Amino acid sequence: MGGIGIGPRGRTDLSCFLRNPDVHFVAVADPQSERRRIVKEMVDKHYQNNDCQTYHYLFDVLNRDDIDAVLIATGDRWHTMASILAAKAGKDIYCEKPCSMTIAESRALADTIRRYGRIYQAGTQRRNIGNFIFAINLVHSGKLGKLHTVHANTLDPRTTRDWLPAEPEPPKDVCDWDLWLGPCPWRPFNQRYVNGGWRGFFDFHGGGILEWGSHTVDLCQWANQADDTAPIEYEPQGNHVHATYANGVKLIMRDTGWLGLGTCSVRFEGDEGWVETGDSGQVAVFPESLRSEMPVFTMAGTDPSTHIRDFLDCVKSRKQPASNASVVAQSHIACHAAYIAWQLGRKVRFDPVKEEFIGDEEANRLRSRALREPWHI
């Protein structure tokens, strides 16, 4: 394996990869020298050698014939681009979420992964964590009755189009600012961006619906057995968005009113009961009789270890992992459509087959973003 753009969350993933004896991590690429150094020290310490290679450009990792798979943990702006380049280079891919910045990127990613026959796992690890699986199995078992509403824990949707004040640009070998920006519009360098402070800026971030919805809307899609589609209507209500699927199930994306069971909570309601759970592993159910068949869950919702193992097993078997590109493209499309409705401040209707808004040119223009040369999809 090799790595591309590995910061704090990426190092959490990397530590899980290194614990698997069938993984040999050999190289990392990053436009920041300090991050290259930290990853090399971490890998070399694990293997008790000095063999981990560091590179400035991601192509130096992708062009190595001895690398089978890559961990991509850049900022959001690079996820689709780096994954597509990796697929075209013949690599399997574990990529942190969100997988895309737009509806168009979501579709391009899924189509490319399929065309090149690669194994892709998005870092939406809750698909492989026990309490969330238990909650979804309750829905699919029919023990909650007919499903009518699914709730996804999201964050404040707002982003800003402002720029931070310009600061002197560092030497290219310390931080390659042009490469860090990648396909995003140019803006002056500011150290806060490269220190992880890029969230909340429109050019780099899809807002709070995508930030947590890439996990929680994804779980709601699974619960509704809607992994191959998306809601057909979206209506903003303050910081919340209410959506409706073609089968009549309602999807409510909200940042308030939760039971306090941890971050990234979800709630599924049927006409005979409900279940709510979050990253703490705790589960609330109604009726209480459902609790008698519930095990104790101890894994935090942020732990990627079982999800990474699923990816490695699928690299070997060539079976599709839990968070494959087709699945996450659909859940991300739902998040992007909700964010578009919120930005416009009005109800929108969506065709999930054509992946376009119905009779709405203004909304349809927001399905993609221009990419800065020379980057293109």
Side-chain angles (χ1 to χ4, degrees):
M1 285 193 68
I4 297 170
I6 299 181
R9 176 60 185 178
R11 292 194 292 272
T12 298
D13 295 334
L14 177 57
S15 67
C16 293
F17 275 109
L18 293 175
R19 288 199 294 269
N20 287 275
D22 45 356
V23 168
H24 185 198
F25 193 91
V26 297
V28 63
D30 199 295
Q32 297 185 72
S33 61
E34 179 65 8
R35 292 198 171 188
R36 295 194 295 268
R37 181 191 65 79
I38 292 171
V39 171
K40 176 175 171 57
E41 287 184 358
M42 179 179 174
V43 173
D44 287 348
K45 181 179 180 181
H46 174 79
Y47 293 121
Q48 295 295 298
N49 58 33
N50 195 39
D51 293 348
C52 182
Q53 297 296 304
T54 61
Y55 300 105
H56 186 128
Y57 294 105
L58 71 163
F59 294 105
D60 291 326
V61 168
L62 296 180
N63 290 338
R64 282 183 54 162
D65 291 337
D66 62 330
I67 291 177
D68 304 298
V70 289
L71 164 61
I72 298 171
T74 62
D76 300 358
R77 69 204 175 279
W78 261 108
H79 286 169
T80 299
M81 182 68 66
S83 295
I84 285 177
L85 292 171
K88 293 174 76 171
K91 313 305 182 190
D92 294 328
I93 301 144
Y94 185 101
C95 182
E96 266 302 333
K97 64 86 197 172
C99 75
S100 64
M101 293 282 284
T102 63
I103 289 173
E105 283 192 354
S106 301
R107 178 49 48 209
L109 174 67
D111 288 350
T112 302
I113 296 299
R114 183 181 66 252
R115 183 177 302 118
Y116 285 90
R118 307 323 306 165
I119 298 301
Y120 176 96
Q121 179 92 298
T124 49
Q125 70 279 345
R126 290 165 182 85
R127 283 212 175 211
N128 273 306
I129 292 182
N131 58 303
F132 295 102
I133 296 171
F134 172 82
I136 285 164
N137 285 342
L138 269 186
V139 177
H140 293 172
S141 72
K143 293 176 182 177
L144 302 181
K146 181 177 173 55
L147 183 69
H148 60 74
T149 310
V150 290
H151 300 254
N153 191 176
T154 53
L155 299 172
D156 189 329
R158 285 174 290 185
T159 57
T160 179
R161 296 174 188 260
D162 293 341
W163 290 0
L164 292 175
E167 294 179 351
E169 198 169 310
K172 195 171 182 177
D173 62 342
V174 173
C175 176
D176 186 335
W177 177 236
D178 182 68
L179 183 60
W180 188 96
L181 285 171
C184 288
W186 183 89
R187 65 175 62 199
F189 175 83
N190 184 288
Q191 188 66 39
R192 176 179 157 192
Y193 295 133
V194 299
N195 286 350
W198 47 265
R199 285 181 177 82
F201 292 92
F202 178 82
D203 289 337
F204 306 144
H205 192 228
I209 293 175
L210 184 64
E211 180 69 40
W212 277 12
S214 55
H215 289 292
T216 58
V217 170
D218 179 69
L219 293 167
C220 288
Q221 292 260 119
W222 187 16
N224 190 32
Q225 301 184 65
D227 278 341
D228 59 349
T229 188
I232 60 172
E233 189 174 277
Y234 302 79
E235 183 173 10
Q237 298 190 16
N239 281 345
H240 303 170
V241 177
H242 292 201
T244 306
Y245 290 93
N247 67 355
V249 171
K250 294 180 180 179
L251 165 62
I252 298 177
M253 292 161 265
R254 56 184 171 91
D255 60 356
T256 58
W258 296 93
L259 296 178
L261 304 181
T263 50
C264 286
S265 289
V266 288
R267 182 182 178 96
F268 310 132
E269 298 175 346
D271 56 15
E272 296 177 17
W274 55 263
V275 59
E276 182 171 325
T277 191
D279 282 345
S280 68
Q282 299 176 71
V283 181
V285 291
F286 179 82
E288 278 294 316
S289 57
L290 295 172
R291 191 170 297 279
S292 63
E293 55 192 83
M294 186 170 67
V296 175
F297 301 106
T298 58
M299 179 177 283
T302 53
D303 187 340
S305 56
T306 52
H307 202 56
I308 283 169
R309 188 62 248 174
D310 177 40
F311 168 70
L312 295 173
D313 290 341
C314 290
V315 167
K316 295 179 175 185
S317 70
R318 311 314 291 174
K319 294 180 180 178
Q320 288 297 313
S323 295
N324 63 74
S326 295
V327 161
V328 297
Q330 291 292 165
S331 59
H332 282 52
I333 285 168
C335 292
H336 293 309
Y339 183 42
I340 288 169
W342 183 86
Q343 290 177 83
L344 295 175
R346 58 176 171 81
K347 183 187 293 187
V348 296
R349 295 171 61 233
F350 187 70
D351 183 335
V353 176
K354 295 181 179 179
E355 293 176 352
E356 63 184 37
F357 295 94
I358 299 170
D360 196 331
E361 182 181 349
E362 186 180 22
N364 281 325
R365 285 198 299 269
L366 299 177
R367 290 177 302 161
S368 63
R369 301 186 186 190
L371 303 180
R372 190 170 62 100
E373 291 294 338
W375 307 106
H376 64 277
I377 293 174

mmCIF file of all heavy atoms in Angstrom, residues 280-314:
data_model
loop_
_atom_site.group_PDB
_atom_site.id
_atom_site.type_symbol
_atom_site.label_atom_id
_atom_site.label_comp_id
_atom_site.label_asym_id
_atom_site.label_seq_id
_atom_site.Cartn_x
_atom_site.Cartn_y
_atom_site.Cartn_z
ATOM 1 N N SER A 280 -21.699 6.483 20.462
ATOM 2 C CA SER A 280 -21.375 5.929 21.785
ATOM 3 C C SER A 280 -21.562 4.418 21.821
ATOM 4 O O SER A 280 -21.046 3.747 22.717
ATOM 5 C CB SER A 280 -22.267 6.561 22.856
ATOM 6 O OG SER A 280 -23.620 6.147 22.688
ATOM 7 N N GLY A 281 -22.319 3.879 20.873
ATOM 8 C CA GLY A 281 -22.666 2.458 20.893
ATOM 9 C C GLY A 281 -23.961 2.172 21.629
ATOM 10 O O GLY A 281 -24.491 1.059 21.544
ATOM 11 N N GLN A 282 -24.479 3.156 22.358
ATOM 12 C CA GLN A 282 -25.751 2.968 23.054
ATOM 13 C C GLN A 282 -26.902 2.944 22.052
ATOM 14 O O GLN A 282 -26.855 3.611 21.014
ATOM 15 C CB GLN A 282 -25.975 4.097 24.057
ATOM 16 C CG GLN A 282 -24.915 4.189 25.145
ATOM 17 C CD GLN A 282 -25.153 5.399 26.029
ATOM 18 O OE1 GLN A 282 -26.096 5.440 26.814
ATOM 19 N NE2 GLN A 282 -24.292 6.405 25.887
ATOM 20 N N VAL A 283 -27.939 2.188 22.386
ATOM 21 C CA VAL A 283 -29.097 2.050 21.515
ATOM 22 C C VAL A 283 -30.360 2.254 22.335
ATOM 23 O O VAL A 283 -30.518 1.664 23.415
ATOM 24 C CB VAL A 283 -29.137 0.653 20.851
ATOM 25 C CG1 VAL A 283 -30.345 0.533 19.916
ATOM 26 C CG2 VAL A 283 -27.848 0.379 20.084
ATOM 27 N N ALA A 284 -31.264 3.100 21.853
ATOM 28 C CA ALA A 284 -32.586 3.270 22.461
ATOM 29 C C ALA A 284 -33.614 2.652 21.524
ATOM 30 O O ALA A 284 -33.540 2.843 20.292
ATOM 31 C CB ALA A 284 -32.896 4.743 22.684
ATOM 32 N N VAL A 285 -34.563 1.896 22.079
ATOM 33 C CA VAL A 285 -35.562 1.219 21.253
ATOM 34 C C VAL A 285 -36.943 1.346 21.882
ATOM 35 O O VAL A 285 -37.088 1.545 23.092
ATOM 36 C CB VAL A 285 -35.239 -0.287 21.077
ATOM 37 C CG1 VAL A 285 -34.004 -0.476 20.232
ATOM 38 C CG2 VAL A 285 -35.095 -0.991 22.423
ATOM 39 N N PHE A 286 -37.942 1.223 21.050
ATOM 40 C CA PHE A 286 -39.338 1.082 21.479
ATOM 41 C C PHE A 286 -40.022 0.138 20.504
ATOM 42 O O PHE A 286 -39.868 0.292 19.293
ATOM 43 C CB PHE A 286 -40.058 2.430 21.505
ATOM 44 C CG PHE A 286 -41.499 2.292 21.909
ATOM 45 C CD1 PHE A 286 -41.843 2.209 23.251
ATOM 46 C CD2 PHE A 286 -42.494 2.195 20.940
ATOM 47 C CE1 PHE A 286 -43.174 2.047 23.618
ATOM 48 C CE2 PHE A 286 -43.817 2.019 21.300
ATOM 49 C CZ PHE A 286 -44.158 1.954 22.641
ATOM 50 N N PRO A 287 -40.727 -0.870 21.014
ATOM 51 C CA PRO A 287 -40.958 -1.179 22.426
ATOM 52 C C PRO A 287 -39.719 -1.770 23.099
ATOM 53 O O PRO A 287 -38.827 -2.281 22.430
ATOM 54 C CB PRO A 287 -42.091 -2.201 22.365
ATOM 55 C CG PRO A 287 -41.939 -2.857 21.022
ATOM 56 C CD PRO A 287 -41.448 -1.789 20.103
ATOM 57 N N GLU A 288 -39.699 -1.684 24.425
ATOM 58 C CA GLU A 288 -38.552 -2.130 25.214
ATOM 59 C C GLU A 288 -38.282 -3.629 25.057
ATOM 60 O O GLU A 288 -37.174 -4.096 25.305
ATOM 61 C CB GLU A 288 -38.754 -1.798 26.689
ATOM 62 C CG GLU A 288 -38.396 -0.370 27.052
ATOM 63 C CD GLU A 288 -36.908 -0.071 26.895
ATOM 64 O OE1 GLU A 288 -36.077 -0.905 27.324
ATOM 65 O OE2 GLU A 288 -36.563 0.973 26.322
ATOM 66 N N SER A 289 -39.287 -4.375 24.635
ATOM 67 C CA SER A 289 -39.101 -5.820 24.462
ATOM 68 C C SER A 289 -38.019 -6.124 23.432
ATOM 69 O O SER A 289 -37.404 -7.194 23.472
ATOM 70 C CB SER A 289 -40.418 -6.469 24.022
ATOM 71 O OG SER A 289 -40.891 -5.875 22.819
ATOM 72 N N LEU A 290 -37.734 -5.192 22.540
ATOM 73 C CA LEU A 290 -36.692 -5.404 21.532
ATOM 74 C C LEU A 290 -35.296 -5.449 22.152
ATOM 75 O O LEU A 290 -34.360 -5.973 21.567
ATOM 76 C CB LEU A 290 -36.751 -4.293 20.474
ATOM 77 C CG LEU A 290 -38.014 -4.244 19.622
ATOM 78 C CD1 LEU A 290 -38.027 -2.985 18.761
ATOM 79 C CD2 LEU A 290 -38.111 -5.485 18.748
ATOM 80 N N ARG A 291 -35.169 -4.898 23.360
ATOM 81 C CA ARG A 291 -33.868 -4.843 24.015
ATOM 82 C C ARG A 291 -33.377 -6.230 24.438
ATOM 83 O O ARG A 291 -32.165 -6.441 24.580
ATOM 84 C CB ARG A 291 -33.947 -3.925 25.238
ATOM 85 C CG ARG A 291 -32.613 -3.584 25.859
ATOM 86 C CD ARG A 291 -32.768 -2.492 26.911
ATOM 87 N NE ARG A 291 -33.244 -1.257 26.317
ATOM 88 C CZ ARG A 291 -32.463 -0.385 25.677
ATOM 89 N NH1 ARG A 291 -31.181 -0.638 25.521
ATOM 90 N NH2 ARG A 291 -32.972 0.722 25.182
ATOM 91 N N SER A 292 -34.261 -7.162 24.606
ATOM 92 C CA SER A 292 -33.879 -8.491 25.101
ATOM 93 C C SER A 292 -32.949 -9.219 24.124
ATOM 94 O O SER A 292 -32.182 -10.091 24.540
ATOM 95 C CB SER A 292 -35.129 -9.337 25.346
ATOM 96 O OG SER A 292 -35.832 -9.540 24.131
ATOM 97 N N GLU A 293 -33.005 -8.866 22.850
ATOM 98 C CA GLU A 293 -32.162 -9.534 21.858
ATOM 99 C C GLU A 293 -30.969 -8.688 21.442
ATOM 100 O O GLU A 293 -30.298 -8.991 20.464
ATOM 101 C CB GLU A 293 -33.009 -9.875 20.628
ATOM 102 C CG GLU A 293 -33.724 -8.680 20.014
ATOM 103 C CD GLU A 293 -34.763 -9.110 18.993
ATOM 104 O OE1 GLU A 293 -35.892 -9.450 19.389
ATOM 105 O OE2 GLU A 293 -34.418 -9.110 17.801
ATOM 106 N N MET A 294 -30.691 -7.630 22.201
ATOM 107 C CA MET A 294 -29.645 -6.693 21.811
ATOM 108 C C MET A 294 -28.355 -6.968 22.569
ATOM 109 O O MET A 294 -28.341 -6.975 23.795
ATOM 110 C CB MET A 294 -30.111 -5.255 22.090
ATOM 111 C CG MET A 294 -29.153 -4.187 21.588
ATOM 112 S SD MET A 294 -29.923 -2.550 21.691
ATOM 113 C CE MET A 294 -30.051 -2.346 23.471
ATOM 114 N N PRO A 295 -27.240 -7.192 21.873
ATOM 115 C CA PRO A 295 -25.951 -7.366 22.553
ATOM 116 C C PRO A 295 -25.425 -6.033 23.067
ATOM 117 O O PRO A 295 -25.996 -4.971 22.799
ATOM 118 C CB PRO A 295 -25.047 -7.922 21.448
ATOM 119 C CG PRO A 295 -25.658 -7.447 20.180
ATOM 120 C CD PRO A 295 -27.133 -7.345 20.414
ATOM 121 N N VAL A 296 -24.317 -6.075 23.804
ATOM 122 C CA VAL A 296 -23.649 -4.862 24.268
ATOM 123 C C VAL A 296 -22.635 -4.449 23.212
ATOM 124 O O VAL A 296 -21.818 -5.256 22.767
ATOM 125 C CB VAL A 296 -22.950 -5.100 25.624
ATOM 126 C CG1 VAL A 296 -22.149 -3.875 26.036
ATOM 127 C CG2 VAL A 296 -23.981 -5.462 26.689
ATOM 128 N N PHE A 297 -22.683 -3.184 22.815
ATOM 129 C CA PHE A 297 -21.784 -2.686 21.777
ATOM 130 C C PHE A 297 -20.718 -1.800 22.411
ATOM 131 O O PHE A 297 -21.036 -0.891 23.181
ATOM 132 C CB PHE A 297 -22.566 -1.896 20.730
ATOM 133 C CG PHE A 297 -23.639 -2.705 20.055
ATOM 134 C CD1 PHE A 297 -24.979 -2.496 20.356
ATOM 135 C CD2 PHE A 297 -23.309 -3.685 19.133
ATOM 136 C CE1 PHE A 297 -25.974 -3.238 19.745
ATOM 137 C CE2 PHE A 297 -24.296 -4.442 18.511
ATOM 138 C CZ PHE A 297 -25.623 -4.213 18.822
ATOM 139 N N THR A 298 -19.476 -2.074 22.095
ATOM 140 C CA THR A 298 -18.365 -1.337 22.727
ATOM 141 C C THR A 298 -17.511 -0.556 21.730
ATOM 142 O O THR A 298 -16.712 0.266 22.139
ATOM 143 C CB THR A 298 -17.454 -2.312 23.491
ATOM 144 O OG1 THR A 298 -16.957 -3.306 22.584
ATOM 145 C CG2 THR A 298 -18.215 -2.994 24.620
ATOM 146 N N MET A 299 -17.664 -0.812 20.445
ATOM 147 C CA MET A 299 -16.832 -0.121 19.449
ATOM 148 C C MET A 299 -17.383 1.269 19.180
ATOM 149 O O MET A 299 -18.579 1.443 18.899
ATOM 150 C CB MET A 299 -16.776 -0.930 18.151
ATOM 151 C CG MET A 299 -15.958 -0.256 17.055
ATOM 152 S SD MET A 299 -15.824 -1.251 15.545
ATOM 153 C CE MET A 299 -14.594 -2.448 16.089
ATOM 154 N N ALA A 300 -16.530 2.280 19.235
ATOM 155 C CA ALA A 300 -16.948 3.650 18.932
ATOM 156 C C ALA A 300 -17.261 3.779 17.448
ATOM 157 O O ALA A 300 -16.643 3.124 16.602
ATOM 158 C CB ALA A 300 -15.847 4.623 19.315
ATOM 159 N N GLY A 301 -18.207 4.643 17.135
ATOM 160 C CA GLY A 301 -18.597 4.829 15.744
ATOM 161 C C GLY A 301 -17.517 5.429 14.874
ATOM 162 O O GLY A 301 -17.609 5.383 13.640
ATOM 163 N N THR A 302 -16.489 5.982 15.489
ATOM 164 C CA THR A 302 -15.378 6.584 14.735
ATOM 165 C C THR A 302 -14.264 5.594 14.422
ATOM 166 O O THR A 302 -13.308 5.945 13.728
ATOM 167 C CB THR A 302 -14.785 7.754 15.530
ATOM 168 O OG1 THR A 302 -14.448 7.291 16.850
ATOM 169 C CG2 THR A 302 -15.786 8.899 15.657
ATOM 170 N N ASP A 303 -14.357 4.369 14.924
ATOM 171 C CA ASP A 303 -13.297 3.365 14.779
ATOM 172 C C ASP A 303 -13.363 2.728 13.390
ATOM 173 O O ASP A 303 -14.345 2.061 13.058
ATOM 174 C CB ASP A 303 -13.466 2.299 15.869
ATOM 175 C CG ASP A 303 -12.314 1.298 15.912
ATOM 176 O OD1 ASP A 303 -11.589 1.172 14.903
ATOM 177 O OD2 ASP A 303 -12.150 0.636 16.957
ATOM 178 N N PRO A 304 -12.318 2.885 12.561
ATOM 179 C CA PRO A 304 -12.374 2.333 11.203
ATOM 180 C C PRO A 304 -11.843 0.913 11.068
ATOM 181 O O PRO A 304 -11.752 0.396 9.954
ATOM 182 C CB PRO A 304 -11.477 3.305 10.426
ATOM 183 C CG PRO A 304 -10.411 3.674 11.413
ATOM 184 C CD PRO A 304 -11.105 3.715 12.775
ATOM 185 N N SER A 305 -11.483 0.254 12.162
ATOM 186 C CA SER A 305 -10.725 -0.997 12.051
ATOM 187 C C SER A 305 -11.491 -2.098 11.319
ATOM 188 O O SER A 305 -10.929 -2.792 10.453
ATOM 189 C CB SER A 305 -10.277 -1.476 13.435
ATOM 190 O OG SER A 305 -11.371 -1.618 14.309
ATOM 191 N N THR A 306 -12.758 -2.333 11.641
ATOM 192 C CA THR A 306 -13.515 -3.390 10.970
ATOM 193 C C THR A 306 -13.808 -3.014 9.523
ATOM 194 O O THR A 306 -13.883 -3.893 8.639
ATOM 195 C CB THR A 306 -14.830 -3.686 11.708
ATOM 196 O OG1 THR A 306 -15.550 -2.455 11.903
ATOM 197 C CG2 THR A 306 -14.564 -4.315 13.065
ATOM 198 N N HIS A 307 -13.962 -1.742 9.260
ATOM 199 C CA HIS A 307 -14.226 -1.252 7.904
ATOM 200 C C HIS A 307 -12.993 -1.450 7.023
ATOM 201 O O HIS A 307 -13.108 -1.839 5.852
ATOM 202 C CB HIS A 307 -14.585 0.232 7.997
ATOM 203 C CG HIS A 307 -15.354 0.768 6.840
ATOM 204 N ND1 HIS A 307 -16.543 0.241 6.411
ATOM 205 C CD2 HIS A 307 -15.105 1.837 6.023
ATOM 206 C CE1 HIS A 307 -16.999 0.950 5.386
ATOM 207 N NE2 HIS A 307 -16.131 1.912 5.128
ATOM 208 N N ILE A 308 -11.835 -1.197 7.599
ATOM 209 C CA ILE A 308 -10.579 -1.400 6.874
ATOM 210 C C ILE A 308 -10.359 -2.885 6.593
ATOM 211 O O ILE A 308 -9.915 -3.272 5.508
ATOM 212 C CB ILE A 308 -9.418 -0.770 7.655
ATOM 213 C CG1 ILE A 308 -9.461 0.757 7.458
ATOM 214 C CG2 ILE A 308 -8.062 -1.351 7.265
ATOM 215 C CD1 ILE A 308 -8.551 1.539 8.358
ATOM 216 N N ARG A 309 -10.698 -3.737 7.578
ATOM 217 C CA ARG A 309 -10.571 -5.176 7.347
ATOM 218 C C ARG A 309 -11.496 -5.628 6.217
ATOM 219 O O ARG A 309 -11.117 -6.476 5.385
ATOM 220 C CB ARG A 309 -10.885 -5.938 8.643
ATOM 221 C CG ARG A 309 -10.596 -7.429 8.579
ATOM 222 C CD ARG A 309 -9.121 -7.723 8.338
ATOM 223 N NE ARG A 309 -8.875 -8.309 7.030
ATOM 224 C CZ ARG A 309 -7.660 -8.554 6.540
ATOM 225 N NH1 ARG A 309 -6.576 -8.265 7.248
ATOM 226 N NH2 ARG A 309 -7.521 -9.078 5.350
ATOM 227 N N ASP A 310 -12.704 -5.082 6.174
ATOM 228 C CA ASP A 310 -13.632 -5.387 5.081
ATOM 229 C C ASP A 310 -13.007 -5.022 3.734
ATOM 230 O O ASP A 310 -13.075 -5.793 2.772
ATOM 231 C CB ASP A 310 -14.940 -4.623 5.298
ATOM 232 C CG ASP A 310 -15.952 -4.810 4.180
ATOM 233 O OD1 ASP A 310 -16.087 -5.949 3.679
ATOM 234 O OD2 ASP A 310 -16.621 -3.823 3.813
ATOM 235 N N PHE A 311 -12.380 -3.844 3.666
ATOM 236 C CA PHE A 311 -11.717 -3.417 2.437
ATOM 237 C C PHE A 311 -10.619 -4.391 2.036
ATOM 238 O O PHE A 311 -10.543 -4.830 0.875
ATOM 239 C CB PHE A 311 -11.139 -2.015 2.620
ATOM 240 C CG PHE A 311 -10.199 -1.580 1.524
ATOM 241 C CD1 PHE A 311 -10.672 -1.294 0.257
ATOM 242 C CD2 PHE A 311 -8.833 -1.452 1.775
ATOM 243 C CE1 PHE A 311 -9.801 -0.898 -0.758
ATOM 244 C CE2 PHE A 311 -7.963 -1.046 0.773
ATOM 245 C CZ PHE A 311 -8.445 -0.771 -0.492
ATOM 246 N N LEU A 312 -9.757 -4.768 2.978
ATOM 247 C CA LEU A 312 -8.643 -5.672 2.659
ATOM 248 C C LEU A 312 -9.147 -7.034 2.191
ATOM 249 O O LEU A 312 -8.594 -7.617 1.241
ATOM 250 C CB LEU A 312 -7.742 -5.827 3.880
ATOM 251 C CG LEU A 312 -7.012 -4.553 4.337
ATOM 252 C CD1 LEU A 312 -6.295 -4.791 5.656
ATOM 253 C CD2 LEU A 312 -6.040 -4.068 3.271
ATOM 254 N N ASP A 313 -10.188 -7.534 2.826
ATOM 255 C CA ASP A 313 -10.753 -8.817 2.391
ATOM 256 C C ASP A 313 -11.299 -8.722 0.975
ATOM 257 O O ASP A 313 -11.166 -9.666 0.180
ATOM 258 C CB ASP A 313 -11.870 -9.254 3.350
ATOM 259 C CG ASP A 313 -11.333 -9.660 4.722
ATOM 260 O OD1 ASP A 313 -10.118 -9.940 4.822
ATOM 261 O OD2 ASP A 313 -12.125 -9.681 5.682
ATOM 262 N N CYS A 314 -11.898 -7.575 0.638
ATOM 263 C CA CYS A 314 -12.467 -7.407 -0.695
ATOM 264 C C CYS A 314 -11.386 -7.186 -1.751
ATOM 265 O O CYS A 314 -11.575 -7.569 -2.913
ATOM 266 C CB CYS A 314 -13.471 -6.260 -0.700
ATOM 267 S SG CYS A 314 -14.994 -6.642 0.207
#
